[in-house]
Amino acid sequence: MTTNQPMAALFDLDGVVFDTERQYTVYWQQVGLRYHPTLTDFAQRIKGRTLVEIFQAYFDGQMEAQAEISRGLVDFESRMHYDYLPGVEAFLDELRRHGVPRAVVTSSNRAKMACVYRARPELTTHFDAILVAEDLGRSKPHPDGYLRAAERLGVAPTRCVVFEDSFTGLEAGRRAGGAVVGLATTNPAEAIADRCDRVIDDFRTFTVGDMVSLIQMINRR
């Protein structure tokens, strides 16, 4: 294995670093049942979108509904369990030992991240940069967030590996030009296999050497 050329690891947050997507699915399913009962896949439709975009797409002009959903979400996120995905802490430590810069690119806003930092104050020590909804410009599936993260870390997008779980996130990683690893935490492995370069269940068997191989593969295309 050689890491003498710069490379970087870019992570989504929910469903990738934290095992939280099932909790969010419960919340948004309840929102969908109340406000859009005919959209049985509402919780899937909004994954990877910022709250502002969700409101624009599904609650435009419904100020009372927006306020109620916002209050409910703040309360829900304050009570969530932010458990690390298996193996991710060890993998982040391995990246640090090899000098590989790391960034989070999440559609979560600063209010939600305040809840995260209260529950996991050590999170900032794992990453060199954390980009949130207010930093992204256009959210996923647009590649803006991952391109900005690569620029902030000083690494070409084609030398980055993106770790994602949602369809919109996987598309964002692809459009950014990096290698894409799909986490089968939100969708079944077979549903995301054609949207990424490799599928994993968690990080327990994924290594820096695997990152090198993926980057070499995409740069041979």
Side-chain angles (χ1 to χ4, degrees), residues 126-143:
H126 288 309
F127 296 97
D128 301 288
I130 297 178
L131 281 68
V132 300
E134 291 86 348
D135 303 317
L136 299 190
R138 297 178 299 174
S139 68
K140 305 165 188 178
H142 297 289

Side-chain angles (χ1 to χ4, degrees), residues 181-192:
V181 174
L183 275 295
T185 52
T186 301
N187 301 287
E190 58 271 19
I192 62 173

Side-chain angles (χ1 to χ4, degrees), residues 38-63:
T38 61
L39 300 179
T40 56
D41 62 342
F42 183 78
Q44 292 294 325
R45 290 181 180 225
I46 59 87
K47 288 187 184 297
R49 295 194 180 193
T50 66
L51 189 59
V52 170
E53 288 183 327
I54 294 169
F55 286 163
Q56 289 175 341
Y58 297 101
F59 301 93
D60 190 34
Q62 302 177 47
M63 306 311 295

Side-chain angles (χ1 to χ4, degrees), residues 131-186:
L131 281 68
V132 300
E134 291 86 348
D135 303 317
L136 299 190
R138 297 178 299 174
S139 68
K140 305 165 188 178
H142 297 289
D144 302 33
Y146 285 118
L147 293 173
R148 290 185 183 187
E151 182 180 15
R152 185 173 297 187
L153 297 179
V155 178
T158 54
R159 297 288 304 173
C160 294
V161 176
V162 172
F163 297 90
E164 268 286 358
D165 62 310
S166 69
F167 293 143
T168 56
L170 293 165
E171 183 179 346
R174 273 277 170 86
R175 291 170 66 179
V180 181
V181 174
L183 275 295
T185 52
T186 301

